[in-house]
Amino acid sequence: MARDWSKEPDLLPRKHAVSFLGDLGFPITERTLMQMAYDGSKGKEPGPPFVIFGNKALYRQAELRSWAEGRLKYRGGPSLAQKALT
């Protein structure tokens, strides 16, 4: 059963960010997020935006959702989003 994320703090540590994305249907591992944070600093494909507090990466729920939805690729016929624009 999915967690009620509205009751969680807006800023999530990486481990909880992975759970949040998984509950939204976007499976990703903690290691992948860590690698994307490192790669993004080197000019490669960036992961979701995050802030640093001490030595911890923290992710905002809205930014995680937006980043994940932005990575969706539509195949086949027109998507519902494309149909709404016409």
Side-chain angles (χ1 to χ4, degrees):
M1 184 168 167
R3 185 185 224 161
D4 182 0
W5 290 100
S6 66
K7 295 181 181 179
E8 296 294 327
D10 183 47
L11 287 170
L12 303 173
R14 188 170 283 139
K15 180 169 73 169
H16 291 164
V18 167
S19 295
F20 176 77
L21 289 168
D23 285 352
L24 293 177
F26 302 108
I28 194 165
T29 66
E30 192 172 346
R31 182 179 173 99
T32 298
L33 275 186
M34 189 183 316
Q35 187 65 48
M36 289 178 136
Y38 176 79
D39 288 348
S41 71
K42 304 294 182 209
K44 296 180 183 177
E45 179 184 9
F50 63 95
V51 296
I52 299 289
F53 183 78
N55 65 349
K56 301 287 184 197
L58 301 171
Y59 298 83
R60 293 189 188 282
Q61 291 184 33
E63 290 175 337
L64 286 167
R65 181 186 301 269
S66 178
W67 172 80
E69 289 175 350
R71 292 176 50 101
L72 292 174
K73 295 188 180 6
Y74 294 97
R75 305 283 162 111
S79 71
L80 294 177
Q82 291 168 329
K83 288 180 183 178
L85 296 175
T86 58

